C-alpha cells in the first residue's frame, strides 16, 4: 500500500466555497505532483514541486494554487470553487532513482463535485 | 498534443486470454512506464523500460519498446478477472525535465470470468 494520503476522498460543495485538498507522503520524496483527471479521461499535470518552497504550474492551466512548506505536505487550494472544477484530483510523489528514472507513487485521489 | 496515446481505448477479453495494449508517443524519451488504475483509485506503477531497452518482463507482464516507431506495447498473459482496470503509458521526454511524466488516455481492460 502506498504511503501517500489524500483527504478528503470525496467532497461535494456549493459554488463559491473555498476548498483545500490535502496530500501527505511519508516516504521522504522530494518531488510532488497534482494531476487532474476527468472520468475515463487522461491525466493532466496541473502543479508540481521539486522541493520545499518550490512550486511550478503544470501543462494544464488551473485556477488552483499549491504550497510546499514541508517536504511531506503538498496541499491544493481553490479559493472559489465552480462547477467546472468538478473532477478527480490525484496527488503523486517521487524520488529520482540512481539510474535517473522517475517513478511516481499515487494517492487514492480526491473526487470533487461542485454544485 | 498529448505525448502518449494508447490503443485500443477499450478491450474486453475472457479470463485466461492474453491482452495486448499499445502506446504511441511523439518525442524522444528517456524511458516509458506503464501504470494501472482501478476504478476510482490512484495509479499504480507496473513496469519501466528505458530507451536503450527493447523488451522487459515482470511476472505476467511483457513490455516492448520500438524507439524507431515511437511505440510500446504491454502484454498481459493468462489474464485474470482482477486484471480489470485502466492501463496508462507515461513518458519522460529526453532533453526536457525527466521529472514530469506525460500520461496517455489509457486503455480500459475488462476481463470477463
Amino acid at each position: 500500500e502506498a504511503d501517500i494520503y489524500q483527504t478528503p476522498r470525496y467532497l461535494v460543495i456549493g459554488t463559491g466555497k473555498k476548498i483545500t485538498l490535502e496530500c501527505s507522503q511519508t516516504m521522504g520524496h522530494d518531488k510532488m505532483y497534482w494531476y487532474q483527471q476527468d472520468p475515463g479521461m487522461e491525466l493532466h499535470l496541473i502543479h508540481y514541486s521539486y522541493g520545499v518552497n518550490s512550486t511550478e504550474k503544470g501543462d494544464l492551466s488551473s485556477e488552483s494554487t499549491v504550497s510546499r512548506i514541508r517536504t511531506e505536505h503538498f496541499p491544493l487550494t481553490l479559493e472559489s470553487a465552480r462547477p467546472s472544477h468538478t473532477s478527480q484530483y490525484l496527488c503523486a510523489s517521487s524520488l529520482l532513482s540512481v539510474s535517473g528514472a522517475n517513478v511516481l507513487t499515487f494517492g487514492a485521489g480526491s473526487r470533487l463535485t461542485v454544485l | 498534443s498529448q505525448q502518449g496515446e494508447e490503443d485500443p481505448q477499450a478491450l474486453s477479453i475472457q479470463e485466461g486470454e492474453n491482452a495486448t495494449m499499445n502506446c504511441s508517443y511523439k518525442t524522444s524519451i528517456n524511458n516509458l512506464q506503464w501504470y494501472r488504475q482501478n476504478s476510482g483509485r490512484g495509479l499504480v506503477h507496473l513496469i519501466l523500460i528505458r530507451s536503450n531497452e527493447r523488451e522487459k518482463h515482470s511476472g505476467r507482464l511483457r513490455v516492448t519498446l520500438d524507439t524507431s516507431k515511437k511505440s510500446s506495447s504491454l502484454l498481459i498473459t493468462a489474464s485474470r478477472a482482477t486484471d480489470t482496470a485502466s492501463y496508462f503509458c507515461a513518458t519522460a521526454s529526453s532533453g526536457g525535465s525527466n521529472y514530469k511524466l506525460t500520461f496517455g488516455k489509457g486503455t480500459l481492460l475488462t476481463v470477463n470470468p
Side-chain angles (χ1 to χ4, degrees):
Chain A
E1 193 70 25
D3 296 312
I4 180 165
Y5 307 99
Q6 289 187 242
T7 58
R9 285 294 318 282
Y10 303 94
L11 180 62
V12 180
I13 59 168
T15 296
K17 298 292 185 185
K18 177 180 178 179
I19 64 110
T20 296
L21 303 180
E22 302 286 352
C23 178
S24 295
Q25 50 97 4
T26 59
M27 297 171 285
H29 288 176
D30 55 345
K31 298 168 190 54
M32 296 190 74
Y33 312 82
W34 278 102
Y35 285 86
Q36 184 175 340
Q37 182 185 35
D38 291 323
M41 303 290 284
E42 63 204 280
L43 284 75
H44 293 285
L45 180 66
I46 52 175
H47 297 284
Y48 60 99
S49 167
Y50 291 162
V52 172
N53 295 325
S54 154
T55 61
E56 301 285 344
K57 289 191 177 296
D59 303 320
L60 180 69
S61 176
S62 173
E63 293 166 345
S64 58
T65 59
V66 292
S67 63
R68 189 88 182 276
I69 299 172
R70 303 199 315 266
T71 298
E72 62 271 21
H73 197 213
F74 192 41
L76 180 146
T77 298
L78 275 167
E79 290 294 332
S80 180
R82 294 204 301 272
S84 60
H85 297 138
T86 294
S87 189
Q88 166 136 288
Y89 293 84
L90 294 168
C91 181
S93 69
S94 69
L95 187 67
L96 206 64
S97 71
V98 293
S99 62
N102 194 40
V103 174
L104 271 58
T105 301
F106 281 84
S110 291
R111 182 165 296 282
L112 173 66
T113 302
V114 184
L115 303 176
Chain B
S1 58
Q2 191 66 14
Q3 170 76 322
E5 296 285 342
E6 286 89 345
D7 167 56
Q9 287 189 317
L11 179 62
S12 181
I13 60 174
Q14 294 300 122
E15 209 165 22
E17 294 179 341
N18 295 341
T20 299
M21 289 159 271
N22 303 296
C23 169
S24 60
Y25 56 92
K26 294 182 172 62
T27 63
S28 297
I29 60 171
N30 284 325
N31 62 73
L32 185 145
Q33 303 177 37
W34 285 90
Y35 287 78
R36 165 195 168 126
Q37 183 181 33
N38 285 60
S39 179
R41 305 289 295 183
L43 281 74
V44 176
H45 177 258
L46 294 176
I47 193 166
L48 178 150
I49 186 165
R50 303 185 198 288
S51 59
N52 62 353
E53 297 176 309
R54 292 296 167 260
E55 187 171 312
K56 201 162 183 179
H57 296 255
S58 177
R60 294 185 295 114
L61 304 180
R62 173 178 166 249
V63 171
T64 62
L65 180 64
D66 187 335
T67 53
S68 66
K69 295 181 179 177
K70 291 187 169 59
S71 67
S72 172
S73 68
L74 172 68
L75 168 68
I76 303 174
T77 60
S79 63
R80 305 166 182 167
T82 51
D83 292 329
T84 294
S86 291
Y87 292 82
F88 294 85
C89 68
T91 53
S93 297
S94 62
S97 170
N98 189 37
Y99 309 142
K100 291 169 58 180
L101 293 187
T102 302
F103 287 82
K105 294 181 180 179
T107 293
L108 175 60
L109 172 66
T110 302
V111 182
N112 302 299

